[in-house]
Amino acid sequence: MKKQHIFVNFKRFDIPSSLGGVNRISSPELYGETIVRSTLEELVKYDRSQVSFTHFYPEAQIPGAVKALNGDTTIKIGCQGVYKNDVAIGGNFGAFTTLRPASIMKAFGCSSTIIGHCEERNSMRDLLSLAGVSDYSAVDKTLNKEVLSALAQNLEVLFCVGERDFEVKKWDDVITKQLELGLSGADLKNVVIAYEPIWSIGPGKTPADAPYIKKVAQLIKSVLGCDIPVVYGGGLKEQNAKMLASIEEIDGGLIALTRFSGEIGFYSEEYLNIIRLYMDKKEELK
């Protein structure tokens, strides 16, 4: 079995439910620490040569999450993006108000970052649209600068690609362009690709099926010319864990919520169960 990669994107899931968020498990300042402490004992049992676990936290949660690792590296701590420019000795010393230089995230204890998530892409497209620009290649060119900045600080990059509903008929062209522009000049040995079928994500939408996901993963590996890890970014969950694990070309997944009804949110035991379902199926098929 090839090494698998399981990621969790906590976005702003640390916001208390009383304020409109989905955090029901701890006080906001202890959220990252609580998640790590409630999962580390179980995750340390997995063979690190077979699977890695990465948590992407908002900045406020990173110090507590890193502290909770207590020297153990079973869980990697990541940030939710880096800025396209960075601090440099003898150069800019960090005047990037509201932004995340990769060097600062590295200093905080991060070893990974997510770049190109559909929400980040949408934000960039919105800005271009306000300026009357319809050529969105600038989005991938900007993401490329983020990728190179992260890699220069030895951060692992989870690079997200995917097509929207009106792009499904030209899915291969869309994804090929995102890969070629977004990863231009990048050393791929520290890059994992997350495939987000944006058209199939959300309530009432039909999820992408195994044959579709398989052909996209095959395209990604073909375009990049290597057997780069490809994970499913449309949401690894209990309902699809076994299906995704059955796809040979898929090497893991990106988890967001673990519960999508009732008390919606992320729950550690449900997260661990998703991993059990996925890894058991991969083990069965190897």
Side-chain angles (χ1 to χ4, degrees):
M1 179 175 66
K2 294 184 297 181
K3 184 172 181 177
Q4 303 297 296
H5 306 264
I6 307 296
F7 299 89
V8 186
N9 184 10
F10 287 98
K11 300 182 182 179
R12 294 293 171 182
F13 296 158
D14 53 337
I15 300 173
S17 57
S18 60
L19 296 178
V22 294
N23 170 21
R24 297 180 176 85
I25 65 175
S26 76
S27 58
E29 69 274 14
L30 295 177
Y31 186 79
E33 180 179 349
T34 300
I35 295 294
V36 172
R37 293 192 185 283
S38 62
T39 58
L40 187 59
E41 182 178 355
E42 184 70 23
L43 296 183
V44 76
K45 298 176 183 177
Y46 286 92
D47 185 338
R48 297 178 197 184
S49 69
Q50 296 295 308
V51 61
S52 64
F53 306 102
T54 304
H55 293 179
F56 297 117
Y57 289 104
E59 293 95 315
Q61 301 301 325
I62 291 171
V66 171
K67 179 182 177 182
L69 289 179
N70 194 29
D72 197 296
T73 57
T74 301
I75 299 174
K76 299 177 184 178
I77 303 302
C79 58
Q80 296 181 341
V82 297
Y83 187 47
K84 61 185 178 65
N85 298 324
D86 203 354
V87 176
I89 296 175
N92 193 310
F93 56 85
F96 303 120
T97 303
T98 79
L99 302 167
R100 313 179 189 91
S103 56
I104 295 175
M105 295 296 96
K106 182 75 172 182
F108 261 51
C110 291
S111 59
S112 185
T113 186
I114 183 171
I115 292 176
H117 189 279
C118 63
E119 291 164 352
E120 182 182 14
R121 290 178 180 274
N122 286 341
S123 178
M124 290 185 180
R125 290 190 191 106
D126 286 346
L127 184 60
L128 291 173
S129 295
L130 288 172
V133 178
S134 57
D135 178 5
Y136 293 143
S137 62
V139 171
D140 288 294
K141 292 176 182 178
T142 301
L143 294 176
N144 178 247
K145 292 183 177 182
E146 295 179 5
V147 169
L148 297 178
S149 182
L151 293 176
Q153 291 294 338
N154 294 316
L155 295 176
E156 176 189 61
V157 171
L158 179 66
F159 187 67
C160 302
V161 299
E163 74 279 30
R164 292 168 288 177
D165 51 2
F166 60 90
E167 297 172 322
V168 171
K169 291 184 178 179
K170 54 179 180 179
W171 65 273
D172 48 349
D173 291 335
V174 170
I175 292 172
T176 296
K177 183 177 180 181
Q178 291 174 348
L179 292 168
E180 291 179 343
L181 291 179
L183 296 176
S184 177
D187 184 345
L188 300 180
K189 71 175 183 291
N190 210 23
V191 175
V192 176
I193 306 299
Y195 168 55
E196 293 183 283
I198 302 166
W199 55 271
S200 76
I201 302 171
K205 296 187 177 181
T206 303
D209 59 18
Y212 194 95
I213 296 169
K214 180 182 181 72
K215 75 176 182 179
V216 174
Q218 289 175 334
L219 173 76
I220 292 170
K221 293 173 188 281
S222 173
V223 169
L224 296 179
C226 61
D227 192 22
I228 191 168
V230 177
V231 305
Y232 182 67
L236 173 60
K237 48 194 174 185
E238 290 180 336
Q239 293 88 337
N240 65 11
K242 290 184 178 180
M243 179 273 283
L244 292 170
S246 70
I247 304 173
E248 182 181 359
E249 292 82 0
I250 289 296
D251 308 300
L254 175 60
I255 299 169
L257 298 169
T258 62
R259 191 179 304 175
F260 297 84
S261 61
E263 292 191 333
I264 296 171
F266 179 92
Y267 297 90
S268 296
E269 185 50 47
E270 293 170 358
Y271 165 52
L272 296 173
N273 192 48
I274 292 170
I275 293 171
R276 292 186 201 107
L277 290 169
Y278 181 89
M279 292 302 295
D280 286 352
K281 186 64 176 179
K282 279 292 188 186
E283 184 70 24
E284 175 188 325
L285 295 173
K286 75 176 185 178

